[in-house]
Amino acid sequence: MRETRRALAETLSRIGSLIGDGQSRDDVLDVEQLSNESGVPRDVVRMLLDGEEPPAEDITDRIVRRIVHLRETRLRPDGTRHSYDEIAASYGASRASLSNLVNSRRKTPSPHTPSRRALSQQVSSEQVPSQQTGERRPARSGGPLASTQAGIETFFFGQPNGWLSAEPQASLDNALQSVLHGLEGEAADPMARLRSTHGLRELAARAPQLAEEELQLVTDWIDTILQRRNAQRVRGTESDSSHTEGH
């Protein structure tokens, strides 16, 4: 838990350092998209982004909730949900076994503290690498729930990757990697910085006509203007506050 918490904090710190002038974290982090990609509820995503601890959750409830989430967000090409029949058949199970698991947990949610049975099905201390992200995730123990989890992850992702059972911090950290990589690309590419700055798309379209040194000068000039604008806004806010207090 401590490692996943630290990894998330480091990712958020790096993202914060790469956010351009005139932008805020809300401009680059879409809570709805992060929730869809990670399987973490929107309110929990907001808590984690603010450095708060998420509420405790039974691991079986988490897996079932994310199964439902996958069906609702990873749709067929025609926009319809995958059926329990085709998901279960993909790993040699019956529709009834999968739908009964989902419906029983949704109707009678267990307490937040994991049960003895859930604990026995939780991940062991052995670590295995995810083929999709390279992240090292806990290996799952045996049992019906573990085989169901592996089968569903294979159906939606192509291989078991721990997505259904991962802690919220690890799930959100994985979803943030694409944002981080995009910001790192923009930081290394002046053209990308121009394209991402509000109101400068027309200038960015003409930028390919400039030499690299000239483009860097334009980018530095824009950064200076944005810094002055932000400083003026701060002074204006402070002036308004002082005026209000004087009355």
Side-chain angles (χ1 to χ4, degrees), residues 62 191 229 243:
R62 180 191 304 153
M191 269 293 296
R229 181 192 299 173
H243 182 73

Side-chain angles (χ1 to χ4, degrees), residues 48 109 126:
L48 292 172
E126 180 187 358

Side-chain angles (χ1 to χ4, degrees), residues 44-220:
V44 178
V45 169
R46 294 189 184 94
M47 292 176 64
L48 292 172
L49 292 177
D50 291 336
E52 301 177 19
E53 283 293 313
E57 182 179 28
D58 181 280
I59 190 170
T60 305
D61 289 341
R62 180 191 304 153
I63 291 172
V64 169
R65 178 176 55 74
R66 290 183 181 178
I67 291 171
V68 175
H69 177 85
L70 284 175
R71 288 191 68 229
E72 293 175 347
T73 59
R74 273 66 167 180
L75 304 176
R76 295 188 183 112
D78 63 2
T80 61
R81 290 183 298 180
H82 293 280
S83 68
Y84 285 128
D85 282 303
E86 62 180 314
I87 297 173
S90 71
Y91 59 93
S94 67
R95 178 193 185 282
S97 64
L98 179 55
S99 61
N100 287 343
L101 170 66
V102 171
N103 292 330
S104 64
R105 301 299 288 196
R106 294 178 75 179
K107 292 178 181 178
T108 57
S110 61
H112 287 305
T113 302
S115 65
R116 184 182 302 273
R117 178 183 176 187
L119 284 171
S120 68
Q121 295 168 330
Q122 284 196 45
V123 296
S124 68
S125 58
E126 180 187 358
Q127 300 287 310
V128 295
S130 163
Q131 298 177 20
Q132 189 175 45
T133 65
E135 180 197 7
R136 298 189 68 81
R137 296 176 181 266
R140 291 174 299 278
S141 59
L145 182 59
S147 61
T148 297
Q149 179 182 346
I152 293 173
E153 289 170 354
T154 300
F155 180 85
F156 284 102
F157 301 111
Q159 74 279 321
N161 60 4
W163 191 91
L164 288 172
S165 62
E167 295 286 347
Q169 291 92 335
S171 298
L172 180 58
D173 186 54
N174 276 347
L176 286 168
Q177 294 310 304
S178 60
V179 178
L180 176 58
H181 295 158
L183 290 173
E184 288 174 336
E186 291 177 8
D189 179 6
M191 269 293 296
R193 291 169 60 193
L194 284 173
R195 292 191 192 99
S196 65
T197 305
H198 179 68
L200 298 176
R201 292 182 176 84
E202 182 177 352
L203 179 58
R206 300 181 181 182
Q209 304 171 24
L210 303 176
E212 184 175 350
E213 295 80 3
E214 295 171 330
L215 179 59
Q216 187 61 56
L217 287 174
V218 173
T219 303
D220 292 341

Side-chain angles (χ1 to χ4, degrees), residues 233-247:
R233 288 175 178 173
V234 171
R235 287 197 295 270
T237 301
E238 292 176 346
S239 176
D240 291 342
S241 299
S242 300
H243 182 73
T244 302
E245 293 175 358
H247 287 283

